Amino acid sequence: MQKTATSLLENSSQLQLECAIILKRYSSTLKASAKSRWPILEARLQQLLPQLLPLYLELYGERYDCHYHLEQLLKVLAKALAQRPDYLLQEDEDPQQWHKAPTALGSACYVDLFAGDFKGLEQRIPYLQQTGINYLHLMPLFKAPEPNSDGGYAVSDYRKTMPHLGSMPQLAELMQKLHSAGIRPVLDFVFNHTSDEHRWAEKAKAGEQQFQDYYFFFDEQERDQYAPWLREIFPEIRRGCFTFEPHAERWVWTTFNSFQWDLNYANPEVFSAMAEEMLFLANQGAAVLRLDALAFVWKEAGTSCENLPKAHTLIRAFNAVAAIAAPALQFKSEAIVHPDEVVKYIAPQECQLSYNPLLMALLWNSLATRKTRLLTESLQRRFAIDPQCSWVNYIRCHDDIGWTFDDNIAWQLGINPEHHRQFLNQFYTGQFAGSFATGVPFQQNPVTGDCRVAGMLASLTGVEQAVQSGNATHLQFALARIYLLNSIILSIGGLPLLYMGDELGLLNDYAYQDDPHKRDDSRWVNRVAVSEQQLAEAHNPDSLSGKIYAQLQQLIRTRSRLTVLGAGQTEILQSGNPHLFAYRRQLDQQSMLCVVNFSEEPQVFVGAPGSQWREELSGELLHGRSLHLAPYQVLWLSATVS
Ligand code: GLC
Ligand code: GLC
């Protein structure tokens, strides 16, 4: 198998022939592994091996043992298909574009903080349903080192859960129940690294070469072929991206914490092993896998080792694997990188879903500056994606807010990006006079001056300050900011993702500062527990939580009857007013115009002459060319025929 991927791709009949030969050669082994599902596997391989093979060859075609590893991989697929539960097999038959529905709504939660354990979460299904959630990301719940596991993102065993949550079979049961309740479960595929307690890492520490080859074990000279070009992710916790491993007396690649060991995907055995873990998770019931830290998965000396072309090849290869053994499975990209790089992960054959960190960061920017130019200019360039794919639009998540906008666009607008980032960090961490926000700095880098921000939605929008000062006007503004942000993620196009607790306006939790294992990681300020009592407040119209929840519900309900807000195309408009953000949604003959006022002052939007609108949130009919927006007002306008 010496042919390169390019030569195979150039000649499709040769590719077909190559695939037919492979299928024939391995059919008896695969038949034995796939058991009664062999006819399904055979049909899928006939269709999809031509997709997988060139990718696989691009990654491993130069290796003498490529064929052997390909056979191992195909066996993994066959076994996984044999074990796929019937109910998931049915979903495989009918993969739909569920994320395009105007009712599609996601949420992310830590099982323990939200509900104690898997059983507790089952009891909260009615709350999720009543909130309108039909996509639920269960934050990392796998066996991990204690007490610090980077919030679960250091996995010691992909097939075991943290004992205090329940067992893997209990998780599988919970996920089936979520499916039956119309809620798609989402799990993390933490595939860039394992914890240093994973059995592969333990064997590597014990000196087994086979498992040292799963990771990057370097002497100093090898390390230095990479080290100078790498970005530091957690500089406050540890400098550099390598950790000295005393047993092996070598340096191990650790992009994140020292206990998170990066996997070496140049080794095809790692690919097969992780494909097996991935399909295991799919077979437990995950409808979506969130590809954690996917920008880092391929390394090459002398590069930044982020967003390399082969990272894309690798993800596409995983996708082809999933398409064969678990077609209903979708991938969500977690690329919190430059906007030009974020969009490259989004494609039907790579990640069908992607966090939208640009929208997230620039919404916060517009709230701070009361201006929408950077938001508008940036999204005009970077919002359009393949129509089969969807953005996952979020305001907050379990991580920090990083200011990942495009410096060139900032310069064009006369904004110095470096100074502006400093301003934003100061604004959101209470160091800027007059700021409404209460956030916490995250990972200040003493060398680059880089910094990010952590905090809950309500604290960052001003609720925390307003509650403390008792200022009713400030509180009103803070609630209006929450409404405004929610209205945008619910209408701009894509799957809106709420961060658990934000729907109730829960505030920062500073208890992490007293916990020696959390103290160094300020993201814990926005990882808060949700009690029974707090949930009950959702229905108390006199409580702050009740008000925030009711406002959100009104947006969700209104959106659910407007199909154009689901599958419609999005056009970001120049609003003609520096404080207004405007976009149009279009689906066949239906069209909607959304206008948002980011300032505390009334603003005017000048529309087309003779326009007549129905404002969907209030039901009001609006006429005339000029639309008047109150402070922080949101308009969802449907054109009406006069
Ligand atoms: C992702 C996670 C983050 C974690 C990192 C390393 O960015 O969201 O919480 O620290 O990956 O796994
Ligand atoms: C990823 C993201 C970065 C984030 C980190 C964990 O590396 O790129 O923005 O801060 O994970 O928080």
Side-chain angles (χ1 to χ4, degrees), residues 370-402:
R370 281 76 168 172
K371 301 232 173 72
T372 57
R373 291 179 312 160
L374 193 54
L375 177 64
T376 300
E377 292 291 330
S378 306
L379 293 193
Q380 279 194 327
R381 268 172 251 192
R382 283 283 165 248
F383 197 80
I385 51 172
D386 187 295
Q388 290 179 57
C389 301
S390 291
W391 284 117
V392 174
N393 296 317
Y394 65 114
I395 308 168
R396 287 300 297 120
C397 69
H398 67 290
D399 276 336
D400 44 289
I401 302 177

Side-chain angles (χ1 to χ4, degrees), residues 39 149 294 301 323 341 458 511 527 579 590 614 631:
S149 61
L294 83 181
E341 300 297 337
R527 296 172 180 174
H579 308 288
Q590 299 172 58
R614 189 185 138 77

